[in-house]
Amino acid sequence: MKTPHLDPCSWRPPSHLVQPQPCTRALIPLRPRFGRFLAPHPIGHLSRPRPKPYLGSGCHAARAALRHARISSTKECSIPMRPGPVVTRIAPSPTGDPHIGTVFMALFNLAFARRHGGRFILRIEDTDQGRSTRESEEAIFAALTWAGIPWDEGPDKGGPHGPYRQSERLPIYEEHVARLVQAGRAYPCFCNAARLKSLREEQLARKEDPRYDGHCRHLDPALAATRIAAGEAHVIRLSVPDEGECVVPDRLRGEIRIAWSTVDHQILRKTDGFPTYHLANVVDDRLMGVTHVIRGEEWISSLPKHVLLYEGFGWELPEFIHMPLLRNPDKSKLSKRKNPTSVTWYREAGYLPEAVVNYLGMMGYTLPDGREMFTLEEFIASFDIDRVVLGGPVFDLAKLNWLNGRYLRESLSPAQILERLHAWRLNDELLLKALPLAQKRLTTLADFMPMAGFLLRGALDYPTAELAGSDGACTARWLRIALWELEQLRPFTAATVRGVFEGMVEKEGVALRELLAPFFLAVTGAKVSLPLFDSCELLGADVTRRRLHEGLERLAAMGHELKGKTLKALEEDYRRRYTENR
RNA sequence: GCCGCGUUCGUCUAGUGGUUCAGGACGCUGGCCUCUCACGCCGGUAACACGGGUUCGAAUCCCGUACGCGGUACCA
């Protein structure tokens, strides 16, 4: 049976979504200047007339059209706007540490929703059963709460469209997958990993895009049903056209065009019965009434799959807004390898949430009046998503430091700072934990602070030569290995940290005392200090790791940098000796 | 490799074809203030990736190239 989207001709969103004419200068009438660009998104509900993001490949064209259209009158809108509130969401995956990028996306989603009187949803995308954890989910709640970013609906507070955890919505996805299969938009696939692997290798050898070849697409449905009933392992794949291109509007980028031939027959339902991101995301966005999908540009390449899903279900598209990605100083996507990315780290390192949020608000964005210091409320009040800049902003700790300093000296009283200090670490709770460790080492009360001061310090101050010891290269290797070990470590307690070092003693063939020497320096800043493992626990995983990382950087500056081949070899060696039979 | 998205001082950015030999901020730097340091204040440094086009006029519009990033999973 022929399905409409398999037509060889270009698939395009329904014509009301996309202006058919190309944007060229010659086509733009002088007066009324840009009237023809006015075609509000069907589900857009905005406080001012808004144009279609439009056209032409250049973003400048799109933005110019946007801006000009903005000043045109509402009367020129030929398509009625669908009334109804704006709904945005963030859909983080609860794996690992809460990411600063999640707060970034949350901020813009919240601001957009609030600015337009809408709602902002937090949805947990835990469809990857292998990696998702409840602990990580809690950390996301905590991170957003710390940042002062509220959500209107979410797993913890409920709402009219729950549940908000995808692992609890399985029946919904089952039903929708069935609908797609029924409509011929998706199909069961029984190919095993071996076939897929050789297929991929062949395609790569022929310099083609690796893409499922549709082997199971035309299987007799009745036969397929029998095999499924017999319990044969299978997945459900999205049926993708072989020819033509997908054209979809992005609010900030104009039209995004991607040839269908480069889009894989994405798996929608895994063998374990769980949906993949693509399916769950589209179904949930629709069911939760999401009108504006504001997400990172890493998703652009899967847009066609999402479009196909909306189309397959007969749903109109939400408005897509792909934000730039936060970058490391070397311009790569922000990663913990090169930058602190865990929100917990910013908290533990003594940053103020309002400063962090303020700083994130100036990543790829400036307030219309150019203000650099602003509250969340001020940010929201003047928020204009069309001011977002597309070049990926480098997350610059130096500038965040300046901003954080300004908050400390300009917007808080000494008494308020004291409160913050208490809420941070300078409190009885921490002191009471440190005291038993220090007690035996005290001669006078005055000995305590020098001994425990490292628990409250930011940057440590110690001679790098001492950290390096007699064999700097070896020290660097130890730090690197310990860091890899500690990155995985959960829970992060004195006992588990001890376990890591004991493992290293065995594997590296050194005495604990010798191994630990550089770690005392890197973690506490002194050769002699409180017990290391307990200190690590008190400091927390984020700060401990960061200090080890800083130690590594100091060694690198001394010429003991681990990079290229050496690093690769070490990593392989580490994998073999440490992680192989875990 | 292929596909996509980008590209204004080192970094964050302003910039809606003429008012800009490009403005602000961080950083760095010179000076002032000052019991030190910091803060603050005054100054300096430094950019339209490149090449074609369109135009009387281009950072701004178009095309190409280069570079960067993202994607290319039964991860999200």
Side-chain angles (χ1 to χ4, degrees), chain A residues 464-487:
Chain A
T464 305
E466 256 179 57
L467 174 70
S470 57
D471 187 349
C474 179
T475 304
R477 280 204 307 277
W478 287 350
L479 285 180
R480 185 62 269 182
I481 290 174
L483 208 37
W484 279 326
E485 288 285 278
L486 263 19
E487 273 164 9

Side-chain angles (χ1 to χ4, degrees), chain A residues 30-43:
Chain A
L30 283 178
R31 196 173 300 269
R33 264 183 106 183
F34 289 86
R36 75 166 53 200
F37 291 115
L38 272 190
H41 193 275
I43 34 185

Side-chain angles (χ1 to χ4, degrees), chain A residues 328-347:
Chain A
N328 292 312
D330 68 0
K331 303 274 189 184
S332 56
K333 174 164 125 177
L334 195 68
S335 66
K336 68 177 175 192
R337 288 275 129 101
K338 297 165 186 170
N339 239 323
T341 57
S342 166
V343 179
T344 324
W345 182 80
Y346 290 89
R347 189 184 66 204

